[in-house]
Amino acid sequence: MRNGGKRRTIWLGGGVGVVATAALTLVAAGVFDSDVSTNGVIHELEHAQDVVSRERVYATPLEALPSFDYVGHDGRVSSPSQLVVVGTFTSVTPGRGFSWDHSELGEERRVELEYGHEEAWINTIHVAFAVEEVIGKEADVELERGSEIQVGLALSGPVDFTAVKKELAGLGRVVVFLNRSAVFDYERDLWGILEDGAFIGRVDPEERIEFLILDETDGLEGIEGLTVEDLREAS
């Protein structure tokens, strides 16, 4: 069952129906630089965006809201995000370490390790997020204002949790577009951020949104001047 509000259905042609997820491609290619994290989490997430090519089904942030349905050539209906919320990051805890190998049949498989393990290709962190407002959600998501959720981020090496908490909490009010990511499927209630962390927007006192990683050179339109009210109206 899907949200019964202002739904828009967009039919896709040519077999295009999947939003590219870059994290596994990035780690498999070895593009995460273990030195990048010393410059901050946002910097590392931005670096990861520079080395991946995405195929988007949406042209603007508004079209990435849960209220937009995309129907692929196979009839499958999906939305780029399943939850969009405004709030603040509050605390950071270790997640898991992961590497990849191949089975005897040549199939790629993920190997789960302890956080910070020397053989880990990536390490995930879990960031607590205090929800001030639910902008949009799919119908099967039960979440109210005042709730706390856990958001996952995939990084290279282990991080200084005190520094990461200071960095993310220091952003103040933010809006995040969340999805169910295969990278974080090891915990049922752990959310991923759309485009592997790119859809984080700082909200100023006038409720204007400043995306920290995305800009219009990334191929998305409608970023400049976007407000929280615009998201509310489109949800």
Side-chain angles (χ1 to χ4, degrees):
M1 179 177 180
R2 303 178 67 80
N3 190 330
K6 304 175 184 176
R7 304 216 61 82
R8 288 86 163 167
T9 301
I10 299 175
W11 294 80
L12 302 168
V16 178
V18 177
V19 179
T21 300
L24 300 184
T25 303
L26 288 168
V27 297
V31 301
F32 276 122
D33 182 346
S34 60
D35 293 331
V36 173
S37 61
T38 61
N39 295 314
V41 170
I42 297 300
H43 183 86
E44 180 165 346
L45 295 175
E46 184 176 22
H47 170 73
Q49 303 299 317
D50 293 338
V51 290
V52 66
S53 177
R54 295 183 185 277
E55 183 180 7
R56 295 187 178 105
V57 296
Y58 44 88
T60 72
L62 294 180
E63 293 177 0
L65 288 165
S67 54
F68 281 77
D69 291 330
Y70 293 86
V71 183
H73 70 291
D74 57 357
R76 186 171 66 90
V77 181
S78 62
S79 298
S81 66
Q82 286 78 57
L83 175 64
V84 176
V85 290
V86 175
T88 54
F89 293 113
T90 59
S91 63
V92 183
T93 54
R96 305 282 193 279
F98 292 102
S99 65
W100 280 258
D101 65 12
H102 291 83
S103 69
E104 294 180 356
L105 299 177
E107 298 174 338
E108 187 175 80
R109 59 187 179 186
R110 184 177 68 180
V111 179
E112 182 173 328
L113 304 164
E114 292 184 2
Y115 178 86
H117 194 284
E118 61 180 9
E119 295 182 4
W121 296 10
I122 66 167
N123 289 272
T124 66
I125 60 173
H126 301 172
V127 187
F129 189 87
V131 177
E132 173 189 316
E133 179 181 358
V134 179
I135 296 293
K137 64 178 182 178
E138 295 211 336
D140 60 350
V141 177
E142 296 182 4
L143 184 69
E144 302 295 336
R145 178 178 178 175
S147 302
E148 182 178 87
I149 58 175
Q150 295 291 318
V151 178
L153 293 174
L155 305 171
S156 53
V159 298
D160 180 330
F161 290 104
T162 300
V164 172
K165 177 182 176 181
K166 182 178 180 181
E167 177 187 358
L168 295 180
L171 298 176
R173 286 181 79 217
V174 294
V175 59
V176 287
F177 288 59
L178 303 173
N179 61 4
R180 296 298 189 186
S181 169
V183 180
F184 307 109
D185 62 2
Y186 57 88
E187 284 197 12
R188 178 184 176 187
D189 296 326
L190 187 60
W191 291 94
I193 298 178
L194 186 61
E195 294 195 7
D196 304 293
F199 270 75
I200 303 173
R202 187 158 40 199
V203 179
D204 73 11
E206 284 73 42
E207 297 210 316
R208 293 170 298 201
I209 299 170
E210 175 196 2
F211 284 101
L212 303 175
I213 295 171
L214 297 171
D215 60 42
E216 299 211 351
T217 64
D218 293 316
L220 278 179
E221 303 172 357
I223 293 177
E224 298 298 327
L226 188 68
T227 68
V228 176
E229 185 58 30
D230 293 330
L231 300 184
R232 294 186 187 109
E233 292 179 355
S235 294

